[in-house]
Amino acid sequence: MRHGCKVNHLSRTHAHRVAMLSNMATSLIMHKRIETTLAKAKALRVYVEPLINRSKEDSTHNRRIVFSYLHSKEAVNELFREVSQKVAQRPGGYTRILKTGIRHGDNSEMAIIELVDYNENMLKDTTKKAAKSTRRSRAKKAEAAPVAEAPVAEEAPKAE
């Protein structure tokens, strides 16, 4: 029984699971978005968010700790140079999981996991929405009613 065990083992041995999460975290940092199963995405979020949090303070100690998890110099440099600049003001929640449906082969739930600050579609300014219009008939009739003006008399041309 699993009484109180909070780690999703993903049907893998410890070494296989750690290697898989390390590779997935490296891919996420390098490509900013990956598609995987929902269970793996949830496990990856728990794995990668503390690493992103460590990257906010660039020190040799933090770089070595992150390297011990990722095993990739390029990913560590990308994380500490570019990603840490974008997440500097964010207090947490560096990743987003979007469900994409099911995989036809085995019916497993698929998801996209991405870094929040790198999705340009969701970062667009949405404050420029149209003014909310109401459907009050009396107000529109009062505004739309033409104001009756006095007819202007045309002057006849003067004969000389």
Side-chain angles (χ1 to χ4, degrees):
M1 292 187 182
R2 305 184 49 242
H3 293 298
C5 297
K6 297 193 188 304
V7 176
N8 187 350
H9 296 287
L10 300 172
S11 299
R12 288 164 173 79
T13 62
H14 176 74
H16 186 186
R17 188 173 58 253
V18 168
M20 181 191 66
L21 289 173
S22 174
N23 290 334
M24 289 175 66
T26 300
S27 296
L28 179 64
I29 290 167
M30 297 302 287
H31 301 291
K32 312 302 187 262
R33 169 188 292 192
I34 58 173
E35 184 176 2
T36 183
T37 63
L38 184 62
K40 286 179 188 175
K42 288 180 179 180
L44 180 61
R45 176 173 48 190
V46 173
Y47 187 86
V48 78
E49 289 214 0
L51 301 180
I52 296 172
N53 200 22
R54 275 209 181 263
S55 72
K56 287 182 175 183
E57 182 184 342
D58 191 2
S59 66
T60 305
H61 179 66
N62 284 342
R63 281 183 176 260
R64 286 179 177 167
I65 289 175
V66 170
F67 182 76
S68 71
Y69 282 91
L70 296 180
H71 306 295
S72 171
K73 288 182 188 177
E74 293 81 16
V76 171
N77 286 335
E78 177 85 12
L79 180 64
F80 278 88
R81 288 185 185 155
E82 293 182 22
V83 176
S84 66
Q85 300 300 319
K86 286 226 177 190
V87 301
Q89 302 301 322
R90 186 175 290 276
Y94 310 113
T95 58
R96 176 185 296 124
I97 296 176
L98 303 169
K99 295 180 183 179
T100 58
I102 59 169
R103 185 164 52 196
H104 293 295
D106 59 356
N107 207 32
S108 63
E109 291 185 88
M110 298 300 289
I112 292 175
I113 183 168
E114 64 185 4
L115 296 177
V116 171
D117 295 313
Y118 283 92
N119 189 343
E120 286 80 19
N121 294 332
M122 292 193 174
L123 291 178
K124 288 182 182 174
D125 190 20
T126 58
T127 58
K128 298 178 183 177
K129 292 184 178 177
K132 185 177 178 182
S133 63
T134 58
R135 301 190 75 184
R136 295 183 187 133
S137 60
R138 287 186 183 148
K140 285 193 175 186
K141 284 182 182 175
E143 291 174 6
V147 178
E149 294 182 11
V152 178
E154 295 182 15
E155 293 182 22
K158 293 181 181 178
E160 294 182 15

